[in-house]
Amino acid sequence: FWDFLILFFCLPVVIFNEITKKRLLGDVSCRIVPFMEVSSLGVTTFSLCALGIDRFHAATSPQASTRPIEQCQSIIAKLAVIWVGSMTLSVPEILLWQLAQDTSPVNGVVTEYCTMKPSSNLPESVYSLVLTYQNARMWWYFGCYFCLPILFTVSCQLVTRRIRGTEKGECRGTKHGQCESHLNCTIIALTVIYGLCTTPENVCNIVVAYMSPDMSKQTLDLLNLINQFFLFFKCSVTPVLLLCLCRALGQAFMDCCCCCCEGCGPDTASSEGSADSKLKTEMSSSIFFDKPRETPPPLLSLGTPC
């Protein structure tokens, strides 16, 4: 959902600014767009960490094959912590950016752009904190939003594989073992996409921090544009990758889309297909929690309406 917000709100603002050289919504967009983009990195970072912890608990549980379904309230609480924490860590971005204007010496056209400069109207204590954040922003970006999710995911995967190594002979070929392996591959794929899309921005930040006096404003703007579109690419690919790799989530998404279509009639064939897909969805494992592997329900007696 946060990836959708980035594509729905931030992408049009950036494209409009590049075409018209005017900032859509003015100073508000200069503050909200960086806030939402950094919050997106935080949401992805802490979500990957939470999924890594979930996989670790699944591997170390004494009865992993019969672990109960996680309650909805628990999942909502975790999502609230991830979202609120990410937005809280991104609040300095609102105070850091502001709208600036530049007049071209050639044709006299006024160009609007966003600059990283704290406002002098801020209280002295807040101004010093925002200035400290600006000075440490590059390494905070690199450490929290790049190294943390990658190292966390790699560590959880290594520990999980080490624990699963003793049970490899028992779980190999079983449905539970295949589901666990599939979920681990899904998390690894999400981490790889995230790492590939955030690497250019971190490299550019480090290069600009030490070579900005020798670089022109056009070069800096181009690097910033490339970094933003890598973020948009990540927000576009991640949901599609998740829906394709996580079969239960993808099937549930397709069922919801099918139910919203007017052409889905309640005929017998579609009812049977829907029942089969629902059964497969219930039997498959979800990425957010492990469904209990119990004995199959007893078959209904012949001749009933079902």
Side-chain angles (χ1 to χ4, degrees):
F1 180 72
W2 198 273
D3 290 336
F4 171 76
L5 290 180
I6 292 294
L7 297 175
F8 182 78
F9 181 77
C10 299
L11 182 59
V13 172
V14 173
I15 294 178
F16 182 84
N17 184 37
E18 289 301 317
I19 294 176
T20 63
K21 302 303 178 183
K22 299 292 183 180
R23 196 70 185 183
L24 190 64
L25 301 180
D27 187 67
V28 176
S29 66
C30 280
R31 300 177 185 274
I32 297 300
V33 169
F35 169 76
M36 294 186 64
E37 291 178 348
V38 176
S39 298
S40 172
L41 298 178
V43 169
T44 307
T45 294
F46 301 131
S47 297
L48 289 175
C49 293
L51 292 175
I53 294 175
D54 181 76
R55 292 296 90 210
F56 176 77
H57 284 316
T60 57
S61 177
Q63 295 179 347
S65 60
T66 59
R67 200 162 63 126
I69 299 176
E70 187 173 359
Q71 297 296 323
C72 182
Q73 294 82 354
S74 175
I75 297 177
I76 293 177
K78 292 178 181 180
L79 293 177
V81 170
I82 291 174
W83 278 45
V84 173
S86 302
M87 290 187 289
T88 302
L89 293 176
S90 305
V91 167
E93 296 289 332
I94 300 178
L95 307 175
L96 182 61
W97 295 86
Q98 60 178 327
L99 183 66
Q101 294 181 346
D102 186 19
T103 304
S104 176
V106 179
N107 50 17
V109 176
V110 178
T111 303
E112 295 181 348
Y113 63 96
C114 298
T115 180
M116 193 183 299
K117 182 181 179 182
S119 176
S120 58
N121 298 327
L122 295 174
E124 185 177 356
S125 58
V126 178
Y127 181 83
S128 61
L129 290 176
V130 175
L131 199 61
T132 303
Y133 172 80
Q134 180 182 1
N135 296 330
R137 184 176 183 270
M138 177 190 65
W139 295 112
W140 166 254
Y141 229 82
F142 179 73
C144 181
Y145 298 134
F146 181 75
C147 294
L148 178 62
I150 293 179
L151 294 178
F152 203 94
T153 304
V154 171
S155 301
C156 289
Q157 290 297 322
L158 291 177
V159 173
T160 301
R161 289 180 182 275
R162 183 66 179 270
I163 296 175
R164 290 290 182 186
T166 58
E167 307 173 0
K168 194 171 183 181
E170 302 175 3
C171 297
R172 180 182 295 178
T174 63
K175 186 174 182 180
H176 176 67
Q178 293 176 356
C179 290
E180 292 296 325
S181 177
H182 186 74
L183 293 176
N184 290 333
C185 293
T186 301
I187 298 177
I188 292 175
L190 295 175
T191 305
V192 169
I193 291 295
Y194 178 76
L196 291 177
C197 293
T198 54
T199 296
E201 182 172 6
N202 287 277
V203 172
C204 290
N205 289 339
I206 296 176
V207 171
V208 169
Y210 293 101
M211 298 181 59
S212 57
D214 302 330
M215 303 176 69
S216 62
K217 184 179 180 300
Q218 290 77 11
T219 304
L220 295 176
D221 293 341
L222 179 60
L223 292 177
N224 184 42
L225 183 63
I226 293 174
N227 295 336
Q228 284 185 318
F229 273 95
F230 266 107
L231 176 62
F232 297 146
F233 178 77
K234 187 269 297 181
C235 293
S236 303
V237 172
T238 300
V240 177
L241 181 67
L242 184 59
L243 292 175
C244 292
L245 293 181
C246 186
R247 298 174 183 175
L249 186 62
Q251 185 62 46
F253 180 78
M254 295 303 297
D255 291 343
C256 291
C257 293
C258 183
C259 291
C260 293
C261 296
E262 298 179 356
C264 293
D267 54 347
T268 306
S270 61
S271 300
E272 293 178 355
S274 176
D276 292 341
S277 62
K278 185 177 180 181
L279 180 60
K280 292 178 181 178
T281 303
E282 293 177 352
M283 294 181 64
S284 59
S285 179
S286 174
I287 192 171
F288 300 108
F289 51 82
D290 295 327
K291 291 184 177 294
R293 271 70 175 180
E294 300 175 352
T295 57
L299 296 176
L300 296 176
S301 58
L302 297 177
T304 60
C306 296

